[in-house]
Amino acid sequence: MGLPAPLLAGGFERLVRPLLFASYGGDPEAIHERTILALAGVAGLPPARGALALVAGSSGHPVTVAGVRFPNRVGLAAGMDKDGLAARAWQSFGFGFVEVGTVTAHAQPGNDRPRVFRLRSSEALINRMGFNNAGAEALAATLTQAGVLRGNGGAGIPLGISIGKTKVVALDQAVPDYLRSLATVAPHADYVAVNVSSPNTPNLRTLQDGGALAQLTDALVKRAAELAEGGVPVPIFVKLAPDLAWSQVDEVIAACESAGIAGLIATNTTLARDHLSPADLARANEAGGLSGAPLTARAREVVGYLGRHTRLPVMGVGGVMTKADATALFDAGASLVQLYTGFIYHGPALVAQINADDARRNRP
Ligand SMILES: Cc1cc2nc3c(=O)[nH]c(=O)nc-3n(C[C@H](O)[C@H](O)[C@H](O)COP(=O)(O)O)c2cc1C
């Protein structure tokens, strides 16, 4: 399935990427929106999905994590398909799962544009999107229409749904706001990711503090059990920031373990501005979260710390730009990995390369 990875890489980096990066005046968000709409069209047509998979598909090493069977260990990270418009297209790029969202209980516009910036020499992005999304109910309606329900394989691969706090909801009302999103999306999600780590919603990251996180995770796990009505509750993952001190990571682990959280996702974007190429230093002043190659080392460090300090399964994300970066996260203890910025810069070839390597390394 799919073209050989070197051919796919050459085709993407010589033909597709230059065209994509230059279209719509080079505005990354405009390109992104048009691409998602095009993929939403592809997603609705099985022959088009099949054709895409013939070019870009790949298969890797299957695993079961938190009771969910993943056909391979490479996922699309949250934020790429916030409203789930292309939920059924991602399998055709070789992904073993997709995390749609982040959605919030109330629809919201996000921050003013421009709010995404390319730092090309550093293979990085800075974004301050601010959870622009059509709301949890709109996502549920989109997934209903696409026939995507928890456990039915409607997206072709497991589908996670990331939920966040509505900006206008006060921090002390965060718990009911998240609970509302959980109840809305749970019927469609193979797992739910709790985003308390975006740097672009004021004070959101304080929900990672031990006491606040314990309250939130306890409430979410209890509600998931109620929603399951005696069946198996949807597994809930918590996504961490890379900017926490180890003592704060310990608090996150303690809260998640005692609440019965299914796993951790590490990491979100960083507020740090390390490891940038000199050509990008002016852009580095843009406010927002930095992703891509400058995050590789820190994400690996956090995943390694989690691997040594908790038995909860970890999805590793942050600066996976090569198959070696993915291998390093697996070796550091990640059960699964996710890509965002690496996919923007290297396309489906990166997915294929990681999958091929992972299958080879796990061959009996
Ligand atoms: C433009 C953009 C939007 C993002 N939106 C979200 C989001 O809505 N929810 C979330 O949990 N993470 C979001 N992220 C973070 C990614 O999921 C990922 O954790 C981070 O970018 C690090 O991975 P990477 O280096 O592979 O990009 C976003 C990242 C980018 C670049």
Side-chain angles (χ1 to χ4, degrees):
M1 194 174 37
L3 293 177
L7 201 61
L8 201 54
F12 181 82
E13 284 172 29
R14 283 198 211 100
L15 298 171
V16 180
R17 187 174 71 187
L19 278 176
L20 274 180
F21 278 20
S23 52
Y24 300 100
D27 172 5
E29 188 170 350
I31 297 158
H32 180 253
E33 285 173 339
R34 298 323 187 280
T35 307
I36 293 292
L37 285 179
L39 287 176
V42 168
L45 299 169
R49 290 206 304 266
L52 187 61
L54 278 178
V55 177
S58 58
S59 52
H61 174 61
V63 284
T64 299
V65 178
V68 180
R69 180 78 175 158
F70 293 85
N72 69 61
R73 304 206 288 169
V74 190
L76 181 70
M80 182 80 77
D81 190 4
K82 286 185 189 270
D83 293 316
L85 298 175
R88 287 180 297 177
W90 302 108
Q91 59 169 325
S92 309
F93 288 110
F95 286 112
F97 64 109
V98 50
E99 192 171 307
V100 299
T102 297
V103 290
T104 50
H106 300 271
Q108 55 183 35
N111 292 321
D112 292 341
R113 300 187 189 205
R115 51 193 180 179
V116 191
F117 307 89
R118 239 184 253 128
L119 288 71
R120 283 195 70 160
S121 306
S122 311
E123 289 207 339
L125 298 170
I126 289 178
N127 92 83
R128 51 169 179 270
M129 304 291 284
F131 291 167
N132 56 302
N133 77 102
E137 277 164 28
L139 172 64
T142 299
L143 294 175
T144 299
Q145 201 170 16
V148 179
L149 290 170
R150 181 176 174 218
N152 80 344
I157 48 178
L159 178 118
I161 300 182
S162 172
I163 57 174
K165 185 186 78 69
T166 308
K167 184 176 179 184
V168 295
V169 165
L171 211 56
D172 63 5
Q173 291 303 308
V175 172
D177 191 62
Y178 277 94
L179 287 177
R180 182 169 162 182
S181 291
L182 175 69
T184 308
V185 303
H188 303 279
D190 293 306
Y191 71 88
V192 167
V194 180
N195 187 350
V196 281
S197 48
S198 167
N200 301 316
T201 294
N203 299 320
L204 185 81
R205 285 179 164 198
T206 62
L207 292 174
Q208 295 174 114
D209 298 347
L213 190 62
Q215 237 191 330
L216 177 61
T217 50
D218 280 347
L220 285 165
V221 170
K222 285 204 184 85
R223 188 81 185 104
E226 287 163 12
L227 291 165
E229 292 176 345
V232 180
V234 64
I236 298 181
F237 284 70
V238 169
K239 186 165 177 179
L240 282 65
D243 305 322
L244 300 172
W246 297 135
S247 59
Q248 293 173 299
V249 176
D250 292 341
E251 285 183 21
V252 169
I253 292 172
C256 290
E257 285 181 349
S258 96
I261 285 294
L264 301 169
I265 306 174
T267 68
N268 214 313
T269 56
T270 181
L271 288 170
R273 292 293 185 265
D274 303 326
H275 311 299
L276 287 169
S277 124
D280 292 322
L281 289 181
R283 275 267 156 99
N285 291 327
E286 293 291 350
L290 175 69
S291 59
L295 183 55
T296 310
R298 180 60 187 166
R300 194 179 298 172
E301 207 176 12
V302 175
V303 169
Y305 186 89
L306 294 173
R308 292 191 302 280
H309 291 85
T310 176
R311 302 190 68 148
L312 290 176
V314 177
M315 297 189 190
V317 52
V320 176
M321 313 304 284
T322 65
K323 65 181 180 188
D325 295 335
T327 303
L329 286 184
F330 291 136
D331 289 347
S335 302
L336 299 152
V337 298
Q338 298 180 327
L339 317 176
Y340 192 121
T341 309
F343 189 63
I344 299 283
Y345 281 93
H346 300 294
L350 178 57
V351 185
Q353 286 159 351
I354 298 171
N355 272 329
D357 211 43
D358 200 31
R360 187 183 52 74
R361 278 165 39 97
N362 285 287
R363 210 167 280 145

